[in-house]
Amino acid sequence: MPISGFGCSAAKNSGMMDTSKGFFCRVERDDEMEARLPWKGPYLILMLNAFLGTIGLSLAIPVLPAFLAEMGAGGRTLGLLVAAFSVTQFLFSPWAGELTDKYGRRKFILLGMGLFCVSEGLFAVADAVWLLFVSRLLGGVAA
């Protein structure tokens, strides 16, 4: 938080401490803030991973009814496809957590991102319901 306290505009403008109103304002310099930016280093990979996971769910669900209608499947299959991703993620997360603790998180985050890309690519070219299931299951493992 760059400025703390109430009414710290004078401290912000001067770059100094403002104690004239009976309270203390701390203004951080730009280089202090630059050192704490969250989008540097491993945080960038983590944020990208979370973004891709959210995109994978939010992009797939709206187009599933159209895909399934073309393939002659109904609402029950839609529910199973959505559940397949979530259940697979639920089942594989503890196992993946143990492996990441043992072998390192970065490798598994990158592997998961790669598998997720494959999963979404398979989803895009799927021409049968079983391929959609394989795609969603693989996406759940990758997540």
Side-chain angles (χ1 to χ4, degrees), residues 19-138:
T19 57
S20 62
K21 297 179 183 171
F23 53 84
F24 182 80
C25 295
R26 180 171 182 261
V27 179
E28 296 177 354
R29 295 178 32 182
D30 287 340
D31 56 343
E32 290 175 358
M33 288 178 57
E34 182 72 24
R36 294 187 309 140
L37 292 177
W39 51 80
K40 288 187 170 186
Y43 293 112
L44 178 63
I45 294 172
L46 292 174
M47 286 191 292
L48 184 61
N49 190 27
F51 177 73
L52 288 177
T54 304
I55 292 261
L57 281 173
S58 61
L59 287 180
I61 291 174
V63 298
L64 273 174
F67 273 4
L68 294 174
E70 287 179 12
M71 296 176 196
R76 185 177 185 147
T77 307
L78 173 64
L80 290 172
L81 279 169
V82 172
F85 181 92
S86 301
V87 169
T88 308
Q89 181 182 11
F90 174 75
L91 293 174
F92 276 85
S93 290
W95 177 69
E98 288 180 21
L99 289 175
T100 57
D101 288 342
K102 188 175 182 179
Y103 297 109
R105 287 181 176 85
R106 177 173 248 162
K107 294 174 189 174
F108 280 91
I109 289 173
L110 293 174
L111 176 67
M113 288 174 61
L115 282 174
F116 197 77
C117 288
V118 170
S119 164
E120 294 302 308
L122 181 61
F123 184 85
V125 299
D127 58 354
V129 174
W130 70 271
L131 282 174
L132 290 175
F133 273 104
V134 169
S135 168
R136 299 309 290 159
L137 291 171
L138 183 62

